[in-house]
Amino acid sequence: MLICSISQLGYGFYLPGSYPHKYVVGDPLSVKVNSLTSIDTEIPYSYYSLPFCHPPEGVKDSRENLGELLMGDRIENSPYKFKMYTNETEIFLCQTKSLSSDEYKLLTNRIDEIYQVNLILDNLPAIRYIKRDSYYVRWTGYPIGIKVEDVYYVFNHLKFTVLVHKYEETNVASVMGTGDAAEMIPSVKKSGPDVPGYMVVGFEVTPCSVRHNPESLKNLKETYAKYPSKIACEDNMVTMAIKENEPVAFTYEILGMAIVTIMFAALGFMSPASRGTLVTGMLIFYMVLGVLAGYVAVRMWRTIFCGDHRGWVSVSWQVACFFPGIAFLVLFTLNFLLWGSQSTGAIPFFLFVILILLWFCISVPLTFVGGYFGAKAPHIEYPVRTNQIPREIPPQKYPSWLLVLGAGTLPFGTLFIELFFIMSSIWMGRVYYVFGFLFVVLILLVVVCAEVSLVLTYMHLCVEDWKWWWKSFFASGSVALYIFLYSINYLVFDLKSLSGPVSATLYMGYSFLMVLTIMLATGTVGFLSSFWFVHYLFSSVKLD
């Protein structure tokens, strides 16, 4: 049932990403389902791998971009349907056939492994609110069920709340969903060009476990039929226990209507859920920036070897294959584990072929193009003449590599607090939204990495240690070591529920890729900063 009220607080908005659809009153809204996910195993599975209701028109896959496939998303249509700005309650979905022994075991296993159902409406993920003490915690999706005193209960009734923005009203959004007092919703009778348009700006779900009356279900044969009695859905109440050889009935209800004021036009935000576009964008940028990578690598190599351009092909080849080769090897190994688990997180074989083609047909040639121009460009001249015979480095009181490894603690100190929220967003399914603060932390990380590398390079030069280049790289790049140790700590103390060697292996594999990327990025910042510092330092030397 829907209700109408006014509130001063807005909590639905769009972020940059994709364009929302415009709907008029009565237009159909279709919910889609994504892969089932768990913070316990980190292995996604298809929604329809469990005995859930199928849409009457059959299950159909949605088009997915490269990033979505790499992230394990498998988006399909669902039987949940409702209409824009229209009140609907107590909707019968289906009653499954009696659960077989295998289906019952699979369903209870997924409940034990804390699997979540992920729903999507108009490109927005469903959000669930949980009250803890005096505040609410936001989670994406809802659990399949819950275990109470050795009895398994399934969440078979859903309350949906949809937040919508009206085009004709400035900075005003409406909320549609399910609840009481449907007669309070004003009817809209406009037609033609004056019909108001709405777009979805938020999607919320409340799961319930309801034991339906067997007598009421006897006459319900069609999907979307009206359930004959009111469905009582209360918080912390579970009544639908699942048993072998017994069916499960699913129902849902579009809850209430309210008007909330939000800073929609002022913020200028668009859609928050462009799934996979971040990963796709990263791949595209990585390939395009191959030109810059090849150019910088070859030019720096020529500078170190005093202008010798021979061997630039070998340098370009190493740049094009080092990191992608390691990433491909790790992903291919982890993929065997996901294939063996029949997980939707497994990268399809055709996608591996696409990635290889992108690598060798786009990334590698662009890197060689950049390397070619780097070989043709003039190398950076040394500001002073260097000795042909390497100078002996005096013995040091402390091992220089000990200082290099210790230097990584300073960059790590700038991000370890934010790292917890990032890890929780990736592995615990929590919503991350402090991107402004993350950008500030990123700037601080770059500055601290540069400063740490400069200080250590200067210390090495002061003790006549002229082999500063790799030390400047690892001085800032060693922050990755501490991030890797932190990821192990997070696995032991925060992901204690992570079950099985497969899940732990996946976690460590992805963590290794993450820290390798961070090491290369921060190490590059440190080396280039030190190179600029040494060049500037010696260019200021005046010889008599």
Side-chain angles (χ1 to χ4, degrees):
M1 300 180 182
L2 300 175
I3 59 175
C4 183
S5 62
I6 297 178
S7 172
Q8 298 298 322
L9 178 64
Y11 47 89
F13 53 85
Y14 279 96
L15 294 174
S18 64
Y19 296 98
H21 295 93
K22 180 180 177 180
Y23 301 93
V24 298
V25 175
D27 278 355
L29 298 175
S30 299
V31 177
K32 296 183 179 181
V33 292
N34 204 342
S35 299
L36 304 173
T37 56
S38 169
I39 61 174
D40 183 65
T41 66
E42 302 296 346
I43 303 176
Y45 290 100
S46 170
Y47 174 83
Y48 293 107
S49 64
L50 294 182
F52 290 145
C53 297
H54 287 220
E57 66 274 17
V59 178
K60 300 177 182 178
D61 292 331
S62 298
R63 287 186 176 181
E64 294 162 323
N65 57 43
L66 182 61
E68 288 176 310
L69 292 173
L70 289 174
M71 294 170 62
D73 288 338
R74 295 297 182 270
I75 302 173
E76 301 163 305
N77 60 331
S78 82
Y80 297 105
K81 300 180 186 297
F82 30 88
K83 298 177 181 178
M84 173 60 71
Y85 223 86
T86 303
N87 168 45
E88 294 179 284
T89 58
E90 285 89 32
I91 304 172
F92 173 74
L93 204 57
C94 79
Q95 181 172 247
T96 67
K97 62 180 182 180
S98 298
L99 297 179
S100 66
S101 177
D102 291 339
E103 289 175 330
Y104 173 80
K105 184 178 180 181
L106 181 62
L107 191 56
T108 55
N109 286 341
R110 294 293 181 261
I111 294 175
D112 284 334
E113 294 165 341
I114 324 176
Y115 269 87
Q116 305 276 321
V117 177
N118 298 292
L119 305 178
I120 301 169
L121 175 62
D122 201 24
N123 214 29
L124 292 174
I127 300 295
R128 174 172 54 101
Y129 287 88
I130 300 177
K131 188 174 183 179
R132 291 185 178 175
D133 299 328
S134 59
Y135 62 94
Y136 285 90
V137 179
R138 293 191 299 178
W139 296 84
T140 56
Y142 66 91
I144 294 173
I146 189 173
K147 182 181 180 183
V148 180
E149 297 180 353
D150 296 328
V151 179
Y152 292 91
Y153 297 88
V154 66
F155 291 118
N156 61 330
H157 181 78
L158 301 180
K159 287 183 178 180
F160 293 112
T161 302
V162 182
L163 286 76
V164 297
H165 169 72
K166 187 175 181 181
Y167 274 93
E168 293 183 347
E169 301 176 12
T170 305
N171 293 344
V172 174
S174 301
V175 182
M176 54 177 291
T178 56
D180 299 320
E183 64 277 3
M184 299 179 63
I185 299 177
S187 60
V188 181
K189 298 182 179 180
K190 292 183 179 181
S191 61
D194 294 331
V195 173
Y198 299 89
M199 60 183 176
V200 179
V201 295
F203 184 38
E204 300 172 7
V205 63
T206 302
C208 306
S209 178
V210 178
R211 167 66 69 176
H212 293 295
N213 188 340
E215 295 299 324
S216 300
L217 294 172
K218 285 184 178 180
N219 298 325
L220 295 175
K221 303 298 182 182
E222 296 182 0
T223 305
Y224 310 123
K226 178 70 174 179
Y227 193 79
S229 59
K230 184 175 178 59
I231 298 176
C233 181
E234 305 293 339
D235 292 339
N236 302 320
M237 182 183 73
V238 288
T239 58
M240 184 54 204
I242 54 175
K243 300 177 182 179
E244 287 189 38
N245 302 318
E246 286 191 8
V248 178
F250 291 86
T251 54
Y252 69 99
E253 56 179 304
I254 282 236
L255 178 62
M257 182 78 56
I259 298 177
V260 294
T261 303
I262 61 173
M263 299 296 294
F264 188 86
L267 294 175
F269 287 162
M270 296 303 286
S271 174
S274 295
R275 295 167 308 279
T277 53
L278 178 61
V279 177
T280 304
M282 290 169 60
L283 290 174
I284 293 175
F285 272 109
Y286 184 87
M287 290 186 295
V288 172
L289 292 177
V291 176
L292 183 62
Y295 177 85
V296 173
V298 171
R299 195 175 181 200
M300 292 301 302
W301 173 78
R302 291 188 60 216
T303 298
I304 293 175
F305 288 92
C306 303
D308 187 3
H309 67 277
R310 292 173 297 177
W312 71 269
V313 174
S314 176
V315 174
S316 300
W317 181 253
Q318 293 176 44
V319 172
C321 296
F322 175 72
F323 177 74
I326 295 177
F328 186 86
L329 180 62
V330 172
L331 289 177
F332 192 75
T333 303
L334 296 180
N335 219 51
F336 275 109
L337 300 178
L338 293 172
W339 276 333
S341 303
Q342 297 181 338
S343 168
T344 60
I347 301 175
F349 178 77
F350 79 90
L351 187 56
F352 268 113
V353 176
I354 292 176
L355 292 176
I356 293 175
L357 291 176
L358 291 175
W359 180 10
F360 286 99
C361 297
I362 299 179
S363 180
V364 172
L366 288 178
T367 305
F368 273 87
V369 169
Y372 173 80
F373 285 107
K376 295 296 182 181
H379 68 280
I380 303 174
E381 297 286 347
Y382 292 152
V384 295
R385 230 167 62 176
T386 58
N387 293 331
Q388 297 299 318
I389 301 176
R391 186 173 183 176
E392 183 179 358
I393 300 175
Q396 308 297 320
K397 187 176 181 180
Y398 300 104
S400 59
W401 286 104
L402 186 62
L403 294 175
V404 169
L405 293 177
T409 57
L410 295 177
F412 179 73
T414 65
L415 58 79
F416 82 96
I417 295 179
E418 192 65 18
L419 194 59
F420 172 79
F421 297 101
I422 296 174
M423 298 286 281
S424 298
S425 175
I426 296 174
W427 299 108
M428 301 289 286
R430 297 177 181 173
V431 179
Y432 187 88
Y433 45 85
V434 286
F435 294 101
F437 187 75
L438 178 63
F439 179 73
V440 174
V441 172
L442 176 63
I443 297 299
L444 289 176
L445 176 64
V446 172
V447 172
V448 174
C449 285
E451 290 178 344
V452 164
S453 184
L454 290 179
V455 171
L456 257 72
T457 299
Y458 182 74
M459 291 175 61
H460 287 125
L461 294 177
C462 288
V463 294
E464 302 181 35
D465 185 353
W466 49 270
K467 294 183 178 180
W468 55 268
W469 38 88
W470 279 115
K471 294 171 185 176
S472 68
F473 178 88
F474 287 109
S476 54
S478 61
V479 66
L481 172 64
Y482 298 97
I483 294 177
F484 188 70
L485 294 177
Y486 181 86
S487 66
I488 296 176
N489 175 82
Y490 190 85
L491 172 64
V492 174
F493 295 101
D494 294 280
L495 289 179
K496 291 182 287 188
S497 62
L498 196 68
S499 61
V502 174
S503 300
T505 303
L506 291 173
Y507 174 86
M508 296 305 298
Y510 291 131
S511 297
F512 172 75
L513 278 182
M514 177 182 71
V515 298
L516 177 63
T517 305
I518 293 174
M519 184 193 71
L520 295 175
T522 55
T524 300
V525 171
F527 170 76
L528 294 179
S529 301
S530 294
F531 181 85
W532 170 84
F533 170 73
V534 173
H535 191 278
Y536 178 80
L537 182 67
F538 282 94
S539 63
S540 303
V541 175
K542 295 183 179 180
L543 300 177
D544 294 332

